[in-house]
mmCIF file of all heavy atoms in Angstrom:
data_model
loop_
_atom_site.group_PDB
_atom_site.id
_atom_site.type_symbol
_atom_site.label_atom_id
_atom_site.label_comp_id
_atom_site.label_asym_id
_atom_site.label_seq_id
_atom_site.Cartn_x
_atom_site.Cartn_y
_atom_site.Cartn_z
ATOM 1 N N LYS A 77 33.404 38.172 -38.772
ATOM 2 C CA LYS A 77 34.352 37.611 -39.738
ATOM 3 C C LYS A 77 35.273 38.667 -40.331
ATOM 4 O O LYS A 77 36.312 38.324 -40.891
ATOM 5 C CB LYS A 77 33.592 36.977 -40.910
ATOM 6 C CG LYS A 77 33.189 35.547 -40.689
ATOM 7 C CD LYS A 77 32.675 34.936 -41.978
ATOM 8 C CE LYS A 77 33.742 34.513 -42.959
ATOM 9 N NZ LYS A 77 34.308 33.188 -42.745
ATOM 10 N N ARG A 79 34.306 40.227 -42.935
ATOM 11 C CA ARG A 79 34.140 39.791 -44.329
ATOM 12 C C ARG A 79 33.627 40.933 -45.190
ATOM 13 O O ARG A 79 32.725 41.655 -44.810
ATOM 14 C CB ARG A 79 33.132 38.638 -44.367
ATOM 15 C CG ARG A 79 32.547 38.414 -45.745
ATOM 16 C CD ARG A 79 31.615 37.229 -45.782
ATOM 17 N NE ARG A 79 32.380 36.039 -46.097
ATOM 18 C CZ ARG A 79 31.835 34.905 -46.519
ATOM 19 N NH1 ARG A 79 30.541 34.790 -46.622
ATOM 20 N NH2 ARG A 79 32.592 33.890 -46.807
ATOM 21 N N SER A 165 31.683 29.888 -43.108
ATOM 22 C CA SER A 165 32.629 29.172 -42.269
ATOM 23 C C SER A 165 33.067 30.094 -41.113
ATOM 24 O O SER A 165 33.159 31.308 -41.282
ATOM 25 C CB SER A 165 33.834 28.726 -43.091
ATOM 26 O OG SER A 165 34.357 29.808 -43.820
ATOM 27 N N ASN A 167 35.524 31.350 -39.484
ATOM 28 C CA ASN A 167 36.896 31.848 -39.386
ATOM 29 C C ASN A 167 36.907 33.326 -39.758
ATOM 30 O O ASN A 167 36.062 33.769 -40.523
ATOM 31 C CB ASN A 167 37.794 31.078 -40.369
ATOM 32 C CG ASN A 167 37.184 31.033 -41.764
ATOM 33 O OD1 ASN A 167 36.278 30.231 -42.008
ATOM 34 N ND2 ASN A 167 37.631 31.891 -42.647
ATOM 35 N N SER A 173 39.451 27.630 -42.669
ATOM 36 C CA SER A 173 38.166 27.211 -42.108
ATOM 37 C C SER A 173 38.388 26.287 -40.908
ATOM 38 O O SER A 173 39.301 25.474 -40.913
ATOM 39 C CB SER A 173 37.340 26.479 -43.164
ATOM 40 O OG SER A 173 37.020 27.342 -44.219
ATOM 41 N N GLU A 202 34.621 22.486 -47.122
ATOM 42 C CA GLU A 202 33.305 23.083 -47.307
ATOM 43 C C GLU A 202 32.477 22.288 -48.318
ATOM 44 O O GLU A 202 32.990 21.475 -49.087
ATOM 45 C CB GLU A 202 33.443 24.521 -47.809
ATOM 46 C CG GLU A 202 34.068 25.477 -46.817
ATOM 47 C CD GLU A 202 35.575 25.485 -46.878
ATOM 48 O OE1 GLU A 202 36.152 24.595 -47.534
ATOM 49 O OE2 GLU A 202 36.174 26.388 -46.250
ATOM 50 N N HIS A 253 43.025 32.732 -49.767
ATOM 51 C CA HIS A 253 41.903 32.314 -48.951
ATOM 52 C C HIS A 253 42.381 31.050 -48.265
ATOM 53 O O HIS A 253 43.286 30.410 -48.748
ATOM 54 C CB HIS A 253 40.768 31.964 -49.909
ATOM 55 C CG HIS A 253 39.411 32.109 -49.317
ATOM 56 N ND1 HIS A 253 38.404 32.754 -49.959
ATOM 57 C CD2 HIS A 253 38.881 31.688 -48.147
ATOM 58 C CE1 HIS A 253 37.316 32.728 -49.231
ATOM 59 N NE2 HIS A 253 37.575 32.100 -48.118
HETATM 60 MG MG1 LIG B 30 34.709 30.329 -45.924
#
Side-chain angles (χ1 to χ4, degrees):
K77 273 190 79 85
R79 161 177 270 197
S165 51
N167 49 281
S173 296
E202 294 86 348
H253 206 133

